[in-house]
Amino acid sequence: MVNTTIKTTKSQEVFAAAQNLMPGGVSSPVRAFKSVGGQPIVFDRVKGAYIWDVDGNQYIDYVGTWGPAICGHAHPEVISALHEALEKGTSFGAPSVLENVLAEMVIAAVPSIEMVRFVNSGTEACMAVLRLMRAFTNREKVIKFEGCYHGHADMFLVKAGSGVATLGLPDSPGVPKSATVSTLTAPYNDLEAVKALFEQNPDQISGVILEPVVGNAGFITPDAGFLEGLRELTHEHGALLVFDEVMTGFRIAYGGAQEKFGITPDLTTMGKVIGGGLPVGAYGGRRDIMSMIAPAGPVYQAGTLSGNPLAMTAGIKTLELLQKPGSYEYLERITKRLADGLLKAAQETGHAVCGGNISAMFGLFFTSGPVHNYEDAKKSDTAKFGRFHRGMLERGVYLAPSQFEAGFTSLAHTEEDIDQTIAIARDVLSNL
Ligand SMILES: *Cc1c(COP(=O)(O)O)cnc(C)c1O
C-alpha cells in the first residue's frame, strides 16, 4: 500500500550531502526537481512498477528510469540473464555474438533499419547520426524542431529565438555559435516553416531530425500529414529524414513510431528501452548510408564500451519480453485508462487540462490546449503542475518532475495501480 503522509528525512540528508559533491547534487539536471520545487527523493531500490526510497516509502512509478523500464524495473528474467552474462565478463572491447543477436532483433523490428551501430547513450547516437547526415549529403545544415531534445551535443542545444527562426542561437554557455549556426529550427507540426527553410537554404540542408512523437516538451503527437509531409519534403530536396526514436523506439510500438505511423525515415536513433536499463544507444538505417561509418567507410565514430555484453544482454532480454503476444495491447489499455482517468479527474475538479497517450507514453498539460507544439505547451500552468507533482509524490505516486516530460507505464503496472493513481490524483486535484 502507498502512504498518505511521508517522512523523507534520510532523502533530505543524502541530497544535502550530494550538493557539496556534485553540481546541483545530481548526475543529470531534471532529477534535482528544480522545475517543480521541493526536494527530490533518494531511491534505494526499484522493482516492477514500484520505487522504495531511502526512508522506506513506496511509490508507484511513472518515470521508469526515463523510459528503459518498459517491462517493469528489475524484471526477474533480465536480472537472471545479467547474472549469467556477468560471469563471462563485463566488457570485451571485441566482437561478441550478443551484438549480432541484438542487431538482428533491431533490424527485424524497425522498418528503416538495415544496419545498426551500437553506442552508449542517446546523446552519442544523435551526435553520430548528424555527422553521418552531413557526410552522406555533403551538406552542413540540419533542421530540428523547437522543444525536441536530441541529447546534449553542441549542435542540438538550440531553441529558436523569436523572429530569427533561421539563425541557430545556443541554449547554453560554452556552446560556440559556430557549433549551432548550421542548426535551423522550426515549430513542431509546422510544415510550412520547414518548407520555407528548405527554400531559403537551397542544397544546404542535410536533413530533418525530430521526435516523431514528442516527449521532451511534454507529450505532443504529430498532426495528421505532418510526418508524411516531412517525408515528401526531404525527398524533394535530396535531404535525409531522421527519426529520433530514443524515447519512442520499442515503446509506442515494437517497431517504434515509424511502424505506428507507417512512415519510413532514412535513419533512426534509439536508446532507453533498447538497453533494458543499462547504458545503450544505437543508430541505424539504410545500408548505403550506414556503410559510410568506419571502418566500412570514412565517417569516424567509436566507443570503448560500445556493444558491451551486459548492455546487449539487457537489451536482448527486454526485447524478448516485449515480443510476447499482447504486450503492446496491454500497454495501450492500461495507459489509456490512466490518461483518460487523469483527464476526467482534472476536468471534474475544475482544472483546464489536455493530454493523452500512445501505447506506454502519456502526458497531461495544465492548459485547455490543444497543444501542437512547444509554444502551446508553454501555456501550461507550471506552478500548478508543481503543486500537483508534490501532492502526488506525498501520496505515493512518482511522476516526472517537470510539466515538459512525458510519462511512462510498463508491463508491470496493474489495473489496480492505475485506478489507485487516478483516485489519488482526484484527491490531490480537488485540493490544488
Ligand atoms: C533521452 C533522449 C535523448 C538522449 O539520450 P541519453 O541516453 O539521455 O543521452 C535523445 N533523444 C531523445 C528523443 C530522448 O528522449
Side-chain angles (χ1 to χ4, degrees):
M1 272 307 293
V2 291
N3 338 275
T4 51
T5 54
I6 58 166
K7 207 167 103 261
T8 56
T9 328
K10 280 192 190 151
S11 273
Q12 285 168 30
E13 281 168 19
V14 174
F15 191 60
Q19 305 279 338
N20 273 328
L21 304 170
M22 296 169 284
V26 290
S27 300
S28 190
V30 78
R31 298 179 196 173
F33 278 37
K34 287 265 190 232
S35 76
V36 288
Q39 296 247 330
I41 53 161
V42 174
F43 287 26
D44 178 50
R45 66 195 168 92
V46 290
K47 186 77 181 169
Y50 309 117
I51 298 161
W52 287 265
D53 69 14
V54 287
D55 290 280
N57 301 302
Q58 183 183 341
Y59 306 82
I60 305 174
D61 179 28
Y62 293 101
V63 180
T65 186
W66 301 97
I70 194 167
C71 298
H73 290 289
H75 191 287
E77 289 185 42
V78 176
I79 298 292
S80 84
L82 281 173
H83 275 299
E84 220 169 282
L86 193 53
E87 293 299 323
K88 297 169 91 174
T90 57
S91 179
F92 297 162
S96 77
V97 177
L98 295 167
E99 291 166 277
N100 288 22
V101 175
L102 188 56
E104 276 170 3
M105 291 175 89
V106 170
I107 290 164
V110 186
S112 68
I113 298 188
E114 294 172 343
M115 284 185 122
V116 64
R117 165 62 59 88
F118 294 113
V119 293
N120 304 289
S121 69
T123 293
E124 255 188 85
C126 293
M127 217 167 77
V129 97
L130 179 55
R131 182 175 301 150
L132 179 57
M133 289 163 76
R134 288 170 164 166
F136 184 78
T137 59
N138 206 13
R139 299 173 179 181
E140 284 203 2
K141 292 180 182 172
V142 63
I143 297 176
K144 77 176 281 289
F145 295 92
E146 286 169 46
C148 281
Y149 181 64
H150 305 296
H152 62 81
D154 283 354
M155 356 17 123
F156 290 124
L157 283 186
V158 181
K159 167 166 70 181
S162 56
V164 285
T166 61
L167 242 187
L169 298 177
D171 253 355
S172 163
V175 176
K177 280 203 192 77
S178 58
T180 57
V181 286
S182 301
T183 309
L184 313 178
T185 57
Y188 195 79
N189 275 324
D190 189 342
L191 272 182
E192 287 307 312
V194 177
K195 205 176 283 178
L197 288 175
F198 271 114
E199 277 158 15
Q200 289 155 15
N201 299 273
D203 302 324
Q204 296 167 57
I205 295 174
S206 63
V208 175
I209 184 167
L210 77 157
E211 293 179 62
V213 173
V214 183
N216 287 290
F219 172 75
I220 304 175
T221 56
D223 290 344
F226 180 58
L227 299 176
E228 289 85 341
L230 292 178
R231 182 65 283 184
E232 280 162 24
L233 276 173
T234 45
H235 266 150
E236 199 180 307
H237 293 276
L240 300 174
L241 179 63
V242 183
F243 279 8
D244 178 353
E245 300 228 39
V246 171
M247 188 182 288
T248 54
F250 300 97
R251 176 162 287 277
I252 70 171
Y254 189 67
Q258 51 200 280
E259 175 195 311
K260 170 93 192 163
F261 294 100
I263 305 293
T264 306
D266 301 295
L267 294 166
T268 299
T269 55
M270 283 160 298
K272 298 189 169 120
V273 171
I274 204 185
L278 273 84
V280 184
Y283 61 102
R286 275 167 42 193
R287 184 177 300 276
D288 59 328
I289 308 176
M290 288 304 290
S291 299
M292 287 192 75
I293 295 293
V299 179
Y300 195 68
Q301 187 271 307
T304 301
L305 293 169
S306 295
N308 77 78
L310 284 185
M312 296 296 102
T313 298
I316 292 164
K317 191 43 88 175
T318 298
L319 297 197
E320 278 174 9
L321 290 167
L322 286 169
Q323 283 174 357
K324 290 193 179 153
S327 294
Y328 289 89
E329 289 77 3
Y330 181 76
L331 290 170
E332 172 61 31
R333 187 159 57 79
I334 55 156
T335 316
K336 185 168 189 338
R337 188 180 182 96
L338 176 66
D340 288 352
L342 291 177
L343 282 172
K344 188 156 172 273
Q347 281 153 359
E348 288 175 4
T349 49
H351 300 285
V353 288
C354 67
N357 79 291
I358 298 180
S359 180
M361 186 172 165
F362 70 93
L364 178 81
F365 288 113
F366 280 102
T367 173
S368 53
V371 172
H372 294 291
N373 56 40
Y374 189 42
E375 279 306 305
D376 295 339
K378 283 195 290 193
K379 291 176 189 143
S380 295
D381 187 339
T382 52
K384 189 186 270 185
F385 177 82
R387 294 195 299 279
F388 176 63
H389 182 272
R390 175 60 41 184
M392 295 299 280
L393 189 74
E394 286 171 355
R395 302 288 306 270
V397 178
Y398 191 80
L399 299 173
S402 164
Q403 171 74 95
F404 303 112
E405 299 284 354
F408 302 124
T409 50
S410 78
L411 291 171
H413 287 78
T414 62
E415 263 181 27
E416 201 186 1
D417 292 327
I418 302 293
D419 291 347
Q420 195 176 0
T421 302
I422 296 166
I424 291 170
R426 181 177 292 273
D427 218 51
V428 171
L429 286 160
S430 53
N431 294 302
L432 270 192

